[in-house]
């Protein structure tokens, strides 16, 4: 590896890094794929799976929520998305997965690219609906932000939270551990892609075990939401303005542009 070659560490779950990885390789980066979390689908008894036709709206918090829920619904063998049930998510990437995996043909509510992709950005779209919501299902992992569910309840809407997948801290294989320790010894600080609070906490936990926290703190970071910035600063016990951070929306092209921005700033 060339000492001057920029290094990227991609931490999205396995199978989600391919486009960004290939784009960075074409741009001359050295890339390490390092999923922060292991995503496991949660299989429940058929009687425990909330059915789409029972709700006015189903909100999917992530792509894993979509695929996990589809696997649960598949236990009923055949499934057609009911036209009377709306679907919503936090951005266009997850919306495309909803269409592809669940066969949703009706419009999907989501903030557009270029806007914040979170519950706060989704909220005005829900409030603009002509037909008032009565029952909402939120499909997620074992836990998550409660902002949207609490807000819906304040408006008298019945909210059901449903777990479709679980997140576990990924165990780094020895080859990856050796690679990171080698980078530390050479004084090479990479750029990390960090996409959720859970993934940041998982990575930091692994860094503590390997004695790599200072090396991690001296890295640069591409974050996919502004809300992740204070969390990272708190974990690293550093003022946020002392960290090298670029915020990018979750689309692959935007993430690649953020890596290029950091690379250019280093070269100056």
């Amino acid at each position: 590896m060339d000492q001057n070659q920029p290094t990227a560490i991609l931490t999205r779950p396995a199978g989600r890094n391919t486009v960004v990885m290939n784009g960075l390789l074409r741009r001359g980066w050295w890339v390490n794929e390092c999923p922060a979390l292991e995503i496991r689908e949660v299989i429940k008894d058929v009687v425990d799976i909330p059915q789409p036709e029972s709700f006015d709206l189903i909100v999917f918090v992530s792509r894993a929520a979509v695929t996990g829920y589809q696997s649960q619904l598949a236990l009923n063998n055949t499934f057609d998305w009911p036209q009377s049930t709306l679907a919503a998510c936090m951005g266009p990437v997850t919306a495309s997965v909803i269409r592809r995996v669940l066969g949703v043909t009706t419009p999907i509510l989501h903030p557009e690219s270029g806007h914040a992709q979170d519950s706060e950005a989704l909220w005005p779209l829900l409030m603009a609906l002509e037909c008032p919501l009565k029952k909402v299902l939120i499909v997620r992992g074992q836990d998550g932000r409660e902002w949207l569910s609490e807000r819906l309840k304040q408006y008298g809407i019945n909210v059901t939270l449903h777990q479709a997948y679980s997140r576990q801290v990924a165990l780094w294989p020895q080859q990856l551990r050796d690679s990171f320790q080698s980078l530390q010894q050479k004084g090479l600080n990479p750029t990390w892609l960090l996409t959720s609070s859970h993934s940041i906490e998982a990575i930091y936990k692994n860094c503590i075990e390997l004695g790599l926290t200072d090396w991690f703190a001296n890295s640069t970071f591409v974050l996919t939401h502004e809300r992740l910035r204070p969390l990272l600063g708190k974990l690293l016990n550093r003022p946020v303005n002392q960290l090298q951070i670029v915020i990018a929306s979750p689309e692959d092209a935007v993430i690649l542009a953020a890596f290029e921005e950091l690379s250019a700033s280093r070269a100056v």
Side-chain angles (χ1 to χ4, degrees):
M1 175 185 171
D2 186 340
Q3 293 284 104
N4 296 318
Q5 186 177 20
T7 302
I9 300 177
L10 307 181
T11 66
R12 288 191 289 190
R16 294 267 307 280
N17 296 300
T18 304
V19 173
V20 172
M21 178 186 295
N22 290 338
L24 289 171
L25 289 172
R26 287 194 298 269
R27 290 164 171 81
W29 287 69
W30 185 76
V31 181
N32 240 325
E33 186 175 21
C34 172
L37 300 168
E38 181 181 340
I39 304 298
R40 300 175 183 174
E41 294 180 353
V42 174
I43 302 301
K44 296 179 177 287
D45 292 334
V46 172
V47 293
D48 295 329
I49 303 169
Q51 298 301 301
E53 60 269 20
S54 300
F55 299 90
D56 305 309
L57 172 75
I58 299 181
V59 180
F60 296 93
V61 304
S62 66
R63 285 184 271 187
V66 180
T67 55
Y69 188 51
Q70 189 277 334
S71 294
Q72 293 174 343
L73 292 174
L75 297 175
N76 283 327
N77 297 320
T78 59
F79 165 74
D80 291 315
W81 185 269
Q83 295 297 302
S84 60
T85 302
L86 296 172
C89 58
M90 309 311 168
V93 175
T94 302
S96 66
V97 177
I98 294 172
R99 293 188 184 93
R100 175 173 55 83
V101 173
L102 292 173
V104 177
T105 56
T106 55
I108 300 171
L109 296 174
H110 63 83
E112 293 297 335
S113 178
H115 295 269
Q117 297 184 12
D118 55 20
S119 298
E120 289 85 346
L122 177 63
W123 180 253
L125 302 181
L126 301 182
M127 290 298 95
L129 290 171
E130 294 182 3
C131 295
L133 298 171
K134 296 180 180 179
K135 296 184 66 177
V136 174
L137 176 68
I138 299 178
V139 184
R140 64 181 195 175
Q142 65 266 45
D143 54 25
R145 291 184 72 214
E146 305 296 341
W147 188 92
L148 182 60
S149 62
E150 293 300 325
R151 202 69 191 272
L152 289 167
K153 290 175 184 177
Q154 289 173 4
Y155 276 73
I157 299 169
N158 183 293
V159 179
T160 299
L161 302 176
H162 177 64
Q163 182 183 1
Y165 66 97
S166 67
R167 297 175 298 266
Q168 307 293 331
V169 177
L171 297 177
W172 292 350
Q174 191 59 48
Q175 182 179 4
L176 192 61
R177 291 168 175 245
D178 292 343
S179 176
F180 289 170
Q181 288 173 332
S182 175
L183 288 171
Q184 180 195 41
Q185 291 164 6
K186 294 175 181 176
L188 299 176
N189 297 316
T191 299
W192 295 75
L193 172 63
L194 304 176
T195 60
S196 71
S197 58
H198 295 94
S199 64
I200 293 174
E201 291 165 352
I203 289 165
Y204 191 66
K205 179 179 179 180
N206 275 322
C207 284
I208 290 174
E209 293 178 0
L210 294 175
L212 297 174
T213 54
D214 287 342
W215 171 73
F216 179 63
N218 290 322
S219 301
T220 55
F221 305 96
V222 174
L223 308 181
T224 55
H225 198 287
E226 184 68 39
R227 190 171 53 249
L228 301 178
R229 193 193 297 263
L231 171 63
L232 184 60
K234 183 179 178 180
L235 278 178
L236 299 179
N237 195 28
R238 292 194 179 186
V240 171
N241 60 8
Q242 292 183 11
L243 299 174
Q244 300 181 70
I245 294 172
V246 170
I247 305 297
S249 60
E251 295 95 333
D252 292 332
V254 181
I255 290 172
L256 282 168
F259 273 91
E260 290 183 325
E261 179 181 338
L262 283 171
S263 181
S265 65
R266 281 177 163 182
V268 173

